[in-house]
């Protein structure tokens, strides 16, 4: 079992988009039973709040539901509970290291570091552009799943037309 926690600032825009998109992609590839996927915030502003309407809309366009998701805060236990702590941008990684009080950062990555073009994912809370966010997160999730599969950590049991 591979345990993945997506992390962003508020846990209402980017990390829930990544959580529900990766769950969807894993199901399509028949490997959802090999993954535990969740998401959390490094700030406290949005704790308990539902997913932002911009993210709900982009997911709904792909017939993906994120109903019931509420923003939660990352906790120190998450270092033990997850194998991958995936931030959206460099500041998320710095905040995670501070909150988790871990000098060892080997589990912490940016999502797009798994792609051929490592970069930050801009915050749509500020840009208002959920379309760009969706494409960035899709690119990252596909690359991340392929990386797990290439490493033999998961197995695709279903073939998906690309
Ligand atoms: P997210 O976006 O980190 O992608 O969920 C944000 C949502 C809320 C806030 C900041 C970023 N906020 O400051 O409340």
């Amino acid at each position: 079992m591979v345990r993945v926690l997506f992390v962003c600032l508020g846990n209402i825009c980017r990390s829930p988009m990544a959580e529900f998109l990766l769950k969807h992609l894993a199901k399509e590839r028949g490997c959802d039973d090999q993954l535990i996927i969740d998401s959390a915030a490094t700030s406290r502003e949005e704790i308990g709040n539902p997913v932002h309407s911009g993210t709900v809309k982009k997911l709904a366009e792909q017939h993906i539901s994120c109903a019931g998701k509420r923003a939660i805060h990352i906790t120190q236990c998450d270092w033990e509970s997850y194998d991958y702590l995936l931030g959206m941008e460099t500041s998320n990684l710095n905040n995670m290291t501070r909150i988790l009080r871990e000098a060892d950062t080997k589990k912490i990555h940016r999502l797009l570091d798994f792609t051929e073009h490592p970069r930050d994912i801009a915050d749509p809370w500020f840009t208002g552009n959920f379309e760009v966010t969706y494409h960035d997160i899709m690119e990252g999730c596909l690359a991340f799943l392929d990386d797990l599969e290439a490493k033999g950590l998961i197995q695709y049991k279903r073939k998906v037309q690309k």
Side-chain angles (χ1 to χ4, degrees), residues 8-16 43 45-46 88 92 123-126:
C8 63
L9 185 58
N11 192 213
I12 58 167
C13 300
R14 292 165 296 175
S15 59
S43 79
E45 273 77 5
E46 301 286 349
M88 301 294 132
N92 302 149
D123 194 338
W125 172 260
F126 298 110

PDB file of all heavy atoms in Angstrom, residues 8-16 43 45-46 88 92 123-126, ligand 1:
ATOM      1  N   CYS A   8      -1.480  21.674   0.401  1.00  0.00           N
ATOM      2  CA  CYS A   8      -1.373  23.050  -0.119  1.00  0.00           C
ATOM      3  C   CYS A   8      -1.651  23.999   1.040  1.00  0.00           C
ATOM      4  O   CYS A   8      -1.734  23.568   2.196  1.00  0.00           O
ATOM      5  CB  CYS A   8      -2.303  23.282  -1.307  1.00  0.00           C
ATOM      6  SG  CYS A   8      -4.059  23.125  -0.945  1.00  0.00           S
ATOM      7  N   LEU A   9      -1.802  25.272   0.731  1.00  0.00           N
ATOM      8  CA  LEU A   9      -1.963  26.262   1.803  1.00  0.00           C
ATOM      9  C   LEU A   9      -3.320  26.114   2.505  1.00  0.00           C
ATOM     10  O   LEU A   9      -3.397  26.017   3.729  1.00  0.00           O
ATOM     11  CB  LEU A   9      -1.793  27.668   1.209  1.00  0.00           C
ATOM     12  CG  LEU A   9      -1.797  28.853   2.159  1.00  0.00           C
ATOM     13  CD1 LEU A   9      -0.689  28.723   3.202  1.00  0.00           C
ATOM     14  CD2 LEU A   9      -1.643  30.158   1.379  1.00  0.00           C
ATOM     15  N   GLY A  10      -4.409  26.075   1.710  1.00  0.00           N
ATOM     16  CA  GLY A  10      -5.742  26.120   2.315  1.00  0.00           C
ATOM     17  C   GLY A  10      -6.501  24.806   2.344  1.00  0.00           C
ATOM     18  O   GLY A  10      -7.488  24.676   3.058  1.00  0.00           O
ATOM     19  N   ASN A  11      -6.093  23.821   1.517  1.00  0.00           N
ATOM     20  CA  ASN A  11      -6.809  22.538   1.365  1.00  0.00           C
ATOM     21  C   ASN A  11      -8.253  22.727   0.886  1.00  0.00           C
ATOM     22  O   ASN A  11      -9.145  21.970   1.253  1.00  0.00           O
ATOM     23  CB  ASN A  11      -6.771  21.721   2.664  1.00  0.00           C
ATOM     24  CG  ASN A  11      -7.226  20.268   2.514  1.00  0.00           C
ATOM     25  OD1 ASN A  11      -7.815  19.694   3.429  1.00  0.00           O
ATOM     26  ND2 ASN A  11      -6.970  19.652   1.385  1.00  0.00           N
ATOM     27  N   ILE A  12      -8.463  23.785   0.082  1.00  0.00           N
ATOM     28  CA  ILE A  12      -9.794  23.917  -0.539  1.00  0.00           C
ATOM     29  C   ILE A  12      -9.707  24.004  -2.067  1.00  0.00           C
ATOM     30  O   ILE A  12     -10.713  23.827  -2.742  1.00  0.00           O
ATOM     31  CB  ILE A  12     -10.598  25.124   0.006  1.00  0.00           C
ATOM     32  CG1 ILE A  12      -9.849  26.439  -0.206  1.00  0.00           C
ATOM     33  CG2 ILE A  12     -10.958  24.924   1.478  1.00  0.00           C
ATOM     34  CD1 ILE A  12     -10.739  27.660   0.022  1.00  0.00           C
ATOM     35  N   CYS A  13      -8.518  24.307  -2.620  1.00  0.00           N
ATOM     36  CA  CYS A  13      -8.394  24.438  -4.088  1.00  0.00           C
ATOM     37  C   CYS A  13      -7.532  23.328  -4.687  1.00  0.00           C
ATOM     38  O   CYS A  13      -8.040  22.396  -5.310  1.00  0.00           O
ATOM     39  CB  CYS A  13      -7.810  25.800  -4.471  1.00  0.00           C
ATOM     40  SG  CYS A  13      -8.784  27.223  -3.927  1.00  0.00           S
ATOM     41  N   ARG A  14      -6.192  23.432  -4.525  1.00  0.00           N
ATOM     42  CA  ARG A  14      -5.285  22.547  -5.260  1.00  0.00           C
ATOM     43  C   ARG A  14      -5.185  21.142  -4.680  1.00  0.00           C
ATOM     44  O   ARG A  14      -5.291  20.148  -5.421  1.00  0.00           O
ATOM     45  CB  ARG A  14      -3.883  23.166  -5.323  1.00  0.00           C
ATOM     46  CG  ARG A  14      -3.810  24.410  -6.178  1.00  0.00           C
ATOM     47  CD  ARG A  14      -2.528  25.171  -5.927  1.00  0.00           C
ATOM     48  NE  ARG A  14      -2.465  25.676  -4.563  1.00  0.00           N
ATOM     49  CZ  ARG A  14      -1.433  26.292  -4.026  1.00  0.00           C
ATOM     50  NH1 ARG A  14      -0.340  26.469  -4.741  1.00  0.00           N
ATOM     51  NH2 ARG A  14      -1.487  26.738  -2.779  1.00  0.00           N
ATOM     52  N   SER A  15      -4.963  21.000  -3.363  1.00  0.00           N
ATOM     53  CA  SER A  15      -4.726  19.641  -2.842  1.00  0.00           C
ATOM     54  C   SER A  15      -5.977  18.763  -2.905  1.00  0.00           C
ATOM     55  O   SER A  15      -5.860  17.571  -3.217  1.00  0.00           O
ATOM     56  CB  SER A  15      -4.093  19.666  -1.441  1.00  0.00           C
ATOM     57  OG  SER A  15      -4.896  20.333  -0.516  1.00  0.00           O
ATOM     58  N   PRO A  16      -7.202  19.300  -2.684  1.00  0.00           N
ATOM     59  CA  PRO A  16      -8.364  18.418  -2.902  1.00  0.00           C
ATOM     60  C   PRO A  16      -8.550  18.068  -4.374  1.00  0.00           C
ATOM     61  O   PRO A  16      -8.987  16.950  -4.692  1.00  0.00           O
ATOM     62  CB  PRO A  16      -9.562  19.216  -2.362  1.00  0.00           C
ATOM     63  CG  PRO A  16      -9.072  20.577  -2.079  1.00  0.00           C
ATOM     64  CD  PRO A  16      -7.585  20.560  -2.038  1.00  0.00           C
ATOM     65  N   SER A  43      -2.125  25.927   6.442  1.00  0.00           N
ATOM     66  CA  SER A  43      -2.669  27.089   7.168  1.00  0.00           C
ATOM     67  C   SER A  43      -3.977  26.680   7.842  1.00  0.00           C
ATOM     68  O   SER A  43      -4.534  25.614   7.547  1.00  0.00           O
ATOM     69  CB  SER A  43      -2.926  28.256   6.201  1.00  0.00           C
ATOM     70  OG  SER A  43      -4.129  28.033   5.496  1.00  0.00           O
ATOM     71  N   GLU A  45      -6.724  28.864   8.003  1.00  0.00           N
ATOM     72  CA  GLU A  45      -7.809  29.762   7.563  1.00  0.00           C
ATOM     73  C   GLU A  45      -9.078  29.032   7.138  1.00  0.00           C
ATOM     74  O   GLU A  45     -10.174  29.478   7.394  1.00  0.00           O
ATOM     75  CB  GLU A  45      -7.341  30.639   6.387  1.00  0.00           C
ATOM     76  CG  GLU A  45      -6.655  31.927   6.787  1.00  0.00           C
ATOM     77  CD  GLU A  45      -5.230  31.712   7.241  1.00  0.00           C
ATOM     78  OE1 GLU A  45      -4.750  30.553   7.149  1.00  0.00           O
ATOM     79  OE2 GLU A  45      -4.598  32.668   7.693  1.00  0.00           O
ATOM     80  N   GLU A  46      -8.926  27.900   6.441  1.00  0.00           N
ATOM     81  CA  GLU A  46     -10.086  27.258   5.807  1.00  0.00           C
ATOM     82  C   GLU A  46     -10.495  25.952   6.480  1.00  0.00           C
ATOM     83  O   GLU A  46     -11.354  25.231   5.946  1.00  0.00           O
ATOM     84  CB  GLU A  46      -9.785  26.988   4.324  1.00  0.00           C
ATOM     85  CG  GLU A  46      -9.441  28.225   3.506  1.00  0.00           C
ATOM     86  CD  GLU A  46     -10.656  29.104   3.214  1.00  0.00           C
ATOM     87  OE1 GLU A  46     -11.796  28.661   3.455  1.00  0.00           O
ATOM     88  OE2 GLU A  46     -10.446  30.244   2.759  1.00  0.00           O
ATOM     89  N   MET A  88       2.229  21.528  -3.514  1.00  0.00           N
ATOM     90  CA  MET A  88       1.936  22.111  -4.823  1.00  0.00           C
ATOM     91  C   MET A  88       3.002  23.113  -5.234  1.00  0.00           C
ATOM     92  O   MET A  88       3.251  23.314  -6.417  1.00  0.00           O
ATOM     93  CB  MET A  88       0.568  22.820  -4.783  1.00  0.00           C
ATOM     94  CG  MET A  88      -0.573  21.893  -4.405  1.00  0.00           C
ATOM     95  SD  MET A  88      -0.839  20.626  -5.664  1.00  0.00           S
ATOM     96  CE  MET A  88      -0.935  19.167  -4.640  1.00  0.00           C
ATOM     97  N   ASN A  92       4.844  25.394   0.191  1.00  0.00           N
ATOM     98  CA  ASN A  92       4.158  24.284   0.895  1.00  0.00           C
ATOM     99  C   ASN A  92       5.183  23.344   1.509  1.00  0.00           C
ATOM    100  O   ASN A  92       4.986  22.825   2.613  1.00  0.00           O
ATOM    101  CB  ASN A  92       3.270  23.473  -0.052  1.00  0.00           C
ATOM    102  CG  ASN A  92       2.207  24.252  -0.768  1.00  0.00           C
ATOM    103  OD1 ASN A  92       1.834  23.925  -1.886  1.00  0.00           O
ATOM    104  ND2 ASN A  92       1.696  25.308  -0.154  1.00  0.00           N
ATOM    105  N   ASP A 123      -1.340  29.232  -7.265  1.00  0.00           N
ATOM    106  CA  ASP A 123      -2.521  29.119  -6.410  1.00  0.00           C
ATOM    107  C   ASP A 123      -3.724  29.802  -7.068  1.00  0.00           C
ATOM    108  O   ASP A 123      -3.736  31.026  -7.221  1.00  0.00           O
ATOM    109  CB  ASP A 123      -2.213  29.773  -5.057  1.00  0.00           C
ATOM    110  CG  ASP A 123      -3.244  29.392  -4.021  1.00  0.00           C
ATOM    111  OD1 ASP A 123      -4.374  29.009  -4.403  1.00  0.00           O
ATOM    112  OD2 ASP A 123      -2.930  29.471  -2.824  1.00  0.00           O
ATOM    113  N   PRO A 124      -4.751  29.023  -7.454  1.00  0.00           N
ATOM    114  CA  PRO A 124      -5.917  29.620  -8.115  1.00  0.00           C
ATOM    115  C   PRO A 124      -6.742  30.507  -7.182  1.00  0.00           C
ATOM    116  O   PRO A 124      -7.572  31.292  -7.637  1.00  0.00           O
ATOM    117  CB  PRO A 124      -6.723  28.400  -8.589  1.00  0.00           C
ATOM    118  CG  PRO A 124      -6.353  27.318  -7.642  1.00  0.00           C
ATOM    119  CD  PRO A 124      -4.936  27.575  -7.234  1.00  0.00           C
ATOM    120  N   TRP A 125      -6.523  30.363  -5.886  1.00  0.00           N
ATOM    121  CA  TRP A 125      -7.163  31.268  -4.906  1.00  0.00           C
ATOM    122  C   TRP A 125      -6.758  32.710  -5.233  1.00  0.00           C
ATOM    123  O   TRP A 125      -7.535  33.636  -5.084  1.00  0.00           O
ATOM    124  CB  TRP A 125      -6.700  30.873  -3.501  1.00  0.00           C
ATOM    125  CG  TRP A 125      -7.093  31.802  -2.404  1.00  0.00           C
ATOM    126  CD1 TRP A 125      -6.318  32.757  -1.816  1.00  0.00           C
ATOM    127  CD2 TRP A 125      -8.354  31.865  -1.726  1.00  0.00           C
ATOM    128  NE1 TRP A 125      -7.002  33.403  -0.827  1.00  0.00           N
ATOM    129  CE2 TRP A 125      -8.263  32.871  -0.744  1.00  0.00           C
ATOM    130  CE3 TRP A 125      -9.549  31.154  -1.849  1.00  0.00           C
ATOM    131  CZ2 TRP A 125      -9.316  33.195   0.116  1.00  0.00           C
ATOM    132  CZ3 TRP A 125     -10.605  31.478  -1.001  1.00  0.00           C
ATOM    133  CH2 TRP A 125     -10.478  32.474  -0.048  1.00  0.00           C
ATOM    134  N   PHE A 126      -5.520  32.867  -5.720  1.00  0.00           N
ATOM    135  CA  PHE A 126      -5.021  34.200  -6.064  1.00  0.00           C
ATOM    136  C   PHE A 126      -5.156  34.487  -7.559  1.00  0.00           C
ATOM    137  O   PHE A 126      -5.474  35.608  -7.942  1.00  0.00           O
ATOM    138  CB  PHE A 126      -3.546  34.339  -5.637  1.00  0.00           C
ATOM    139  CG  PHE A 126      -3.368  34.188  -4.143  1.00  0.00           C
ATOM    140  CD1 PHE A 126      -2.744  33.064  -3.613  1.00  0.00           C
ATOM    141  CD2 PHE A 126      -3.852  35.151  -3.263  1.00  0.00           C
ATOM    142  CE1 PHE A 126      -2.598  32.905  -2.231  1.00  0.00           C
ATOM    143  CE2 PHE A 126      -3.712  35.004  -1.883  1.00  0.00           C
ATOM    144  CZ  PHE A 126      -3.087  33.884  -1.369  1.00  0.00           C
TER     145      PHE A 126
HETATM  146  P1  LIG B   1      -5.175  26.306  -1.858  1.00  0.00           P
HETATM  147  O1  LIG B   1      -5.675  27.829  -2.063  1.00  0.00           O
HETATM  148  O2  LIG B   1      -3.908  26.393  -1.028  1.00  0.00           O
HETATM  149  O3  LIG B   1      -4.903  25.808  -3.228  1.00  0.00           O
HETATM  150  O4  LIG B   1      -6.302  25.584  -1.152  1.00  0.00           O
HETATM  151  C1  LIG B   1      -5.905  28.712  -0.982  1.00  0.00           C
HETATM  152  C2  LIG B   1      -7.146  28.734  -0.358  1.00  0.00           C
HETATM  153  C3  LIG B   1      -7.374  29.597   0.698  1.00  0.00           C
HETATM  154  C4  LIG B   1      -6.372  30.457   1.118  1.00  0.00           C
HETATM  155  C5  LIG B   1      -5.134  30.435   0.506  1.00  0.00           C
HETATM  156  C6  LIG B   1      -4.898  29.546  -0.545  1.00  0.00           C
HETATM  157  N1  LIG B   1      -6.612  31.375   2.199  1.00  0.00           N
HETATM  158  O5  LIG B   1      -5.728  32.183   2.480  1.00  0.00           O
HETATM  159  O6  LIG B   1      -7.651  31.289   2.829  1.00  0.00           O
END
